[in-house]
Amino acid sequence: MESTESCSQTKTEPDDDDNILEEIVTPLNEETILKPEHRQVLAKLRFVLDLVNTLIDVAEEKGKRLMMKSERRQDGNSETSGAYRRAEQLVIYVRALHMLSSALLLAQREISAATLHPSVAVQQILNQLNEKYHHCLVRSQELASLGIPSADPALAVISAERIMYQHAIELCQTAALDELFGRAEYCSQRYQAAYIMLHTLSEQVSSESDKMILSKYKNAVEKRLKILEKQGLVQSFTTN
C-alpha cells in the first residue's frame, strides 16, 4: 500500500520538464515570427499614423486658438484672419490626406506582393488609417465649403511644411520648459511629436541648407528623448 501511495504521489507532482515545455510552446507575438520585410512595412504604416495624428492635432489647434501673428498681418481684419486660419487647417488636412493615401496604397501593394501579411496588427493599423482618411476628408470638405479668398497675398505663403516646422519648434520650446519644471509626462510627448515632424521634413526638403537646419534640430530632440528614455520617462524610443 505504501508503494502504491508513493507512486500515486509521484505521478501527481508537477514535473519540471513539463513546466519547461509549457514555457517553450508559449506562442510568440505574431509580428515577431514574420519576415523583417513585413515588420519594416508595418513600421512605416505606424509612423504615418503617428504623423497624421500629430497633423490633426496641429489643425485642431489652429482652429481653436487665436492666431495673433496672423491677425496683426491682416491689420485686425477678423474676416481675413479667419480665412487665414481656415487655409492653414485646409493645407494640413490635405497634406494628411496625401500621406494617408500613399500609406494605404503602399499597404495594398505590399499585401498583393505577399510582403505584408494581413495580421491582426496590420488590420488594426489599416482600419485606423482609413478612419483618419475619412476624418481628414470630411474636415477638408467642410473647410473648403466655407470659402477661402485666393486673391489675398498672405494666403499664398501658407504651406504645410512651414506650419509643421513652426509647430515643431514651438513644441520643442514648450517641452524644454516642461522638462525644466519637472513635467516629464508632457515634455516627452511634445518631443516625440516634434521629432516625427522634423524627421518627415528632413526627408522631403531638397535644399541642403534646410536639411542641415532640420538635422540640427532633429538631432537635438533625439538627444533629449534618449536622455528621457534612460530616465525611464520614454518607452523604447527608436529613430528608425
Side-chain angles (χ1 to χ4, degrees):
M1 293 294 292
E2 292 180 359
S3 60
T4 303
E5 291 178 358
S6 177
C7 290
S8 175
Q9 291 175 357
T10 302
K11 289 180 180 179
T12 56
E13 290 178 356
D15 193 342
D16 290 339
D17 291 339
D18 292 338
N19 292 335
I20 293 173
L21 286 173
E22 287 179 4
E23 293 178 4
I24 292 175
V25 299
T26 301
L28 295 173
N29 184 290
E30 185 179 12
E31 307 306 321
T32 304
I33 60 178
L34 290 171
K35 293 182 178 180
E37 293 81 3
H38 166 90
R39 296 196 296 271
Q40 289 171 2
V41 176
L42 180 57
K44 290 180 181 179
L45 297 178
R46 283 173 171 159
F47 182 85
V48 172
L49 181 61
D50 289 340
L51 175 58
V52 167
N53 282 330
T54 301
L55 290 178
I56 290 174
D57 289 341
V58 175
E60 290 178 350
E61 184 178 339
K62 292 289 181 183
K64 291 177 182 177
R65 69 179 185 176
L66 290 174
M67 300 297 294
M68 300 302 297
K69 292 182 180 179
S70 298
E71 290 178 1
R72 284 198 295 269
R73 283 199 298 269
Q74 306 304 330
D75 298 324
N77 189 320
S78 60
E79 181 179 351
T80 308
S81 64
Y84 189 92
R85 291 196 298 273
R86 291 198 301 273
E88 286 188 313
Q89 288 179 279
L90 183 58
V91 297
I92 294 172
Y93 282 121
V94 170
R95 174 52 60 88
L97 283 171
H98 283 302
M99 293 178 176
L100 288 164
S101 178
S102 297
L104 291 169
L105 287 173
L106 170 66
Q108 183 180 12
R109 185 169 63 250
E110 297 298 339
I111 289 175
S112 298
T115 302
L116 183 67
H117 297 272
S119 62
V120 174
V122 169
Q123 292 174 12
Q124 290 175 344
I125 289 292
L126 292 180
N127 287 338
Q128 292 178 69
L129 290 172
N130 275 301
E131 289 173 2
K132 297 301 178 183
Y133 185 91
H134 177 72
H135 172 78
C136 292
L137 180 61
V138 170
R139 291 294 294 126
S140 298
Q141 292 171 338
E142 290 174 348
L143 290 165
S145 68
L146 295 174
I148 297 173
S150 57
D152 194 319
L155 302 181
V157 300
I158 296 176
S159 71
E161 290 80 8
R162 183 190 298 271
I163 295 170
M164 289 169 65
Y165 176 73
Q166 291 174 342
H167 189 72
I169 298 303
E170 290 174 3
L171 284 173
C172 290
Q173 293 170 342
T174 306
L177 290 174
D178 287 334
E179 193 174 0
L180 180 64
F181 291 105
R183 298 190 291 263
E185 67 278 11
Y186 298 112
C187 73
S188 60
Q189 295 173 1
R190 292 189 172 103
Y191 277 137
Q192 287 175 326
Y195 181 87
I196 288 173
M197 286 190 287
L198 291 170
H199 177 75
T200 301
L201 290 171
S202 67
E203 294 291 313
Q204 294 178 347
V205 297
S206 56
S207 168
E208 288 300 322
S209 59
D210 288 345
K211 282 183 180 291
M212 289 180 61
I213 293 172
L214 290 166
S215 178
K216 180 181 72 172
Y217 284 123
K218 188 178 75 166
N219 291 338
V221 173
E222 182 179 348
K223 181 179 179 181
R224 298 312 309 163
L225 281 168
K226 287 186 175 179
I227 291 174
L228 291 172
E229 182 182 2
K230 289 180 180 179
Q231 296 173 352
L233 301 174
V234 176
Q235 295 296 322
S236 302
F237 171 71
T238 59
T239 59
N240 294 333

